[in-house]
PDB file of all heavy atoms in Angstrom:
ATOM      1  N   LEU A 554      77.632   1.905 -25.234  1.00 98.00           N
ATOM      2  CA  LEU A 554      77.735   2.886 -26.320  1.00 98.00           C
ATOM      3  C   LEU A 554      79.018   2.677 -27.102  1.00 98.00           C
ATOM      4  O   LEU A 554      79.026   2.704 -28.344  1.00 98.00           O
ATOM      5  CB  LEU A 554      77.688   4.311 -25.741  1.00 98.00           C
ATOM      6  CG  LEU A 554      76.320   4.954 -25.536  1.00 98.00           C
ATOM      7  CD1 LEU A 554      75.436   4.143 -24.603  1.00 98.00           C
ATOM      8  CD2 LEU A 554      76.475   6.377 -24.995  1.00 98.00           C
ATOM      9  N   GLN A 614      80.822  15.528  -7.111  1.00 98.00           N
ATOM     10  CA  GLN A 614      81.608  16.063  -8.220  1.00 98.00           C
ATOM     11  C   GLN A 614      82.787  15.153  -8.551  1.00 98.00           C
ATOM     12  O   GLN A 614      83.174  15.036  -9.722  1.00 98.00           O
ATOM     13  CB  GLN A 614      82.065  17.486  -7.898  1.00 98.00           C
ATOM     14  CG  GLN A 614      80.894  18.461  -7.854  1.00 98.00           C
ATOM     15  CD  GLN A 614      81.299  19.909  -8.003  1.00 98.00           C
ATOM     16  OE1 GLN A 614      82.480  20.257  -8.160  1.00 98.00           O
ATOM     17  NE2 GLN A 614      80.309  20.799  -7.967  1.00 98.00           N
ATOM     18  N   ASP A 626      88.059   8.092 -22.068  1.00 97.00           N
ATOM     19  CA  ASP A 626      88.946   6.981 -22.421  1.00 97.00           C
ATOM     20  C   ASP A 626      88.342   6.114 -23.519  1.00 97.00           C
ATOM     21  O   ASP A 626      89.065   5.367 -24.197  1.00 97.00           O
ATOM     22  CB  ASP A 626      89.228   6.114 -21.188  1.00 97.00           C
ATOM     23  CG  ASP A 626      90.126   6.817 -20.179  1.00 97.00           C
ATOM     24  OD1 ASP A 626      90.739   7.844 -20.539  1.00 97.00           O
ATOM     25  OD2 ASP A 626      90.199   6.347 -19.026  1.00 97.00           O
ATOM     26  N   LYS A 710      51.856  33.594 -16.281  1.00 94.00           N
ATOM     27  CA  LYS A 710      50.685  34.418 -16.594  1.00 94.00           C
ATOM     28  C   LYS A 710      50.149  35.113 -15.348  1.00 94.00           C
ATOM     29  O   LYS A 710      49.590  36.215 -15.423  1.00 94.00           O
ATOM     30  CB  LYS A 710      49.587  33.552 -17.211  1.00 94.00           C
ATOM     31  CG  LYS A 710      49.842  33.151 -18.658  1.00 94.00           C
ATOM     32  CD  LYS A 710      48.660  32.381 -19.213  1.00 94.00           C
ATOM     33  CE  LYS A 710      48.878  32.067 -20.687  1.00 94.00           C
ATOM     34  NZ  LYS A 710      47.718  31.344 -21.278  1.00 94.00           N
ATOM     35  N   ILE A 824      67.915  12.437 -41.909  1.00 98.00           N
ATOM     36  CA  ILE A 824      67.851  13.595 -42.793  1.00 98.00           C
ATOM     37  C   ILE A 824      66.423  13.749 -43.305  1.00 98.00           C
ATOM     38  O   ILE A 824      65.977  12.961 -44.148  1.00 98.00           O
ATOM     39  CB  ILE A 824      68.820  13.477 -43.983  1.00 98.00           C
ATOM     40  CG1 ILE A 824      70.256  13.259 -43.503  1.00 98.00           C
ATOM     41  CG2 ILE A 824      68.719  14.722 -44.868  1.00 98.00           C
ATOM     42  CD1 ILE A 824      70.875  14.438 -42.801  1.00 98.00           C
ATOM     43  N   ALA A 841      68.963   8.454 -29.323  1.00 98.00           N
ATOM     44  CA  ALA A 841      67.805   7.813 -28.691  1.00 98.00           C
ATOM     45  C   ALA A 841      67.779   8.197 -27.225  1.00 98.00           C
ATOM     46  O   ALA A 841      68.822   8.452 -26.609  1.00 98.00           O
ATOM     47  CB  ALA A 841      67.868   6.298 -28.850  1.00 98.00           C
ATOM     48  N   TRP A 870      75.541   5.456 -38.048  1.00 98.00           N
ATOM     49  CA  TRP A 870      76.751   5.231 -38.845  1.00 98.00           C
ATOM     50  C   TRP A 870      76.489   5.490 -40.325  1.00 98.00           C
ATOM     51  O   TRP A 870      77.403   5.804 -41.079  1.00 98.00           O
ATOM     52  CB  TRP A 870      77.239   3.800 -38.633  1.00 98.00           C
ATOM     53  CG  TRP A 870      78.679   3.618 -38.966  1.00 98.00           C
ATOM     54  CD1 TRP A 870      79.200   3.059 -40.098  1.00 98.00           C
ATOM     55  CD2 TRP A 870      79.808   4.002 -38.168  1.00 98.00           C
ATOM     56  NE1 TRP A 870      80.577   3.063 -40.047  1.00 98.00           N
ATOM     57  CE2 TRP A 870      80.976   3.639 -38.873  1.00 98.00           C
ATOM     58  CE3 TRP A 870      79.932   4.610 -36.918  1.00 98.00           C
ATOM     59  CZ2 TRP A 870      82.246   3.873 -38.371  1.00 98.00           C
ATOM     60  CZ3 TRP A 870      81.210   4.845 -36.426  1.00 98.00           C
ATOM     61  CH2 TRP A 870      82.343   4.481 -37.143  1.00 98.00           C
ATOM     62  N   ASN A1012      43.745  -1.437 -24.889  1.00 79.00           N
ATOM     63  CA  ASN A1012      43.952  -1.575 -23.454  1.00 79.00           C
ATOM     64  C   ASN A1012      44.272  -0.191 -22.883  1.00 79.00           C
ATOM     65  O   ASN A1012      45.221   0.458 -23.311  1.00 79.00           O
ATOM     66  CB  ASN A1012      45.111  -2.543 -23.200  1.00 79.00           C
ATOM     67  CG  ASN A1012      45.329  -2.831 -21.735  1.00 79.00           C
ATOM     68  OD1 ASN A1012      45.066  -2.001 -20.875  1.00 79.00           O
ATOM     69  ND2 ASN A1012      45.819  -4.020 -21.427  1.00 79.00           N
TER      70      ASN A1012
END
Side-chain angles (χ1 to χ4, degrees):
L554 273 59
Q614 292 199 1
D626 289 346
K710 285 184 176 182
I824 304 292
W870 201 258
N1012 184 330

